[in-house]
Amino acid sequence: MKPWRWTVGIAIIVFLAGIAGVLAGRALIPARPQSSELHEVLHHQLKLDAGQEARLEAIEQQFAVRRRALELELRATNARLADAIQAEHGNGPRVTAAVDASHVAMGELQKATLAHIFAMRQILRPDQADKFDRAVVKALTADAR
């Protein structure tokens, strides 16, 4: 075998082994969930008591179900938008209606998220609520800075 073929063969094997390693790593090692600063403040900096922790857990479980349903609805509106774009190839009445439906779904998700934030705030003591409020404002204005 010629040296350049040997080098190319080794390079291909190394490349495929690297891809296999990445795939195996993703399959075997779960991704670390992204933690928001608000989550960090709420769960680690406010020093919640046991009663607050229990109420927070219930609030978060309820919201997880609601958020999942709203996210599925948003995905469905995006699929309808894609179908409308494919059918009309322009900004026709189906595309406009699908965009409007998508905006409604996004708005519902935002409203539910705010209701969730306010529900969490209700379980906090005044000193905790002040710190929580600052974290909420910071999270909402992070991109504006």
Side-chain angles (χ1 to χ4, degrees):
M1 184 181 268
K2 294 183 179 182
W4 66 272
R5 285 188 180 175
W6 179 256
T7 304
V8 171
I10 294 294
I12 290 172
I13 291 170
V14 168
F15 177 74
L16 293 174
I19 290 175
V22 169
L23 294 175
R26 285 186 175 186
L28 298 174
I29 302 170
R32 192 172 137 207
Q34 294 288 334
S35 179
S36 70
E37 186 173 340
L38 186 58
H39 179 86
E40 176 68 25
V41 167
L42 190 60
H43 290 279
H44 301 288
Q45 296 179 18
L46 294 183
K47 296 180 177 65
L48 302 176
D49 63 36
Q52 288 174 311
E53 289 281 358
R55 290 184 301 207
L56 179 62
E57 180 64 28
I59 290 168
E60 288 186 330
Q61 285 180 359
Q62 289 174 337
F63 180 63
V65 172
R66 178 78 174 127
R67 182 183 65 224
R68 181 73 179 136
L70 291 168
E71 287 172 345
L72 288 172
E73 177 58 28
L74 187 55
R75 282 181 143 177
T77 62
N78 286 340
R80 289 191 291 274
L81 175 58
D83 289 343
I85 289 170
Q86 189 172 21
E88 293 183 330
H89 302 291
N91 200 17
R94 283 184 60 196
V95 169
T96 301
V99 167
D100 290 343
S102 179
H103 288 170
V104 169
M106 282 187 259
E108 290 303 313
L109 179 56
Q110 187 172 33
K111 288 175 189 175
T113 301
L114 288 171
H116 172 64
I117 288 170
F118 295 138
M120 290 187 299
R121 188 183 190 285
Q122 292 299 308
I123 69 167
L124 302 176
R125 295 184 313 268
D127 61 307
Q128 293 170 322
D130 288 341
K131 192 169 191 175
F132 181 76
D133 291 346
R134 285 191 300 274
V136 169
V137 168
K138 187 174 181 182
L140 290 172
T141 60
D143 289 340
R145 294 181 203 161

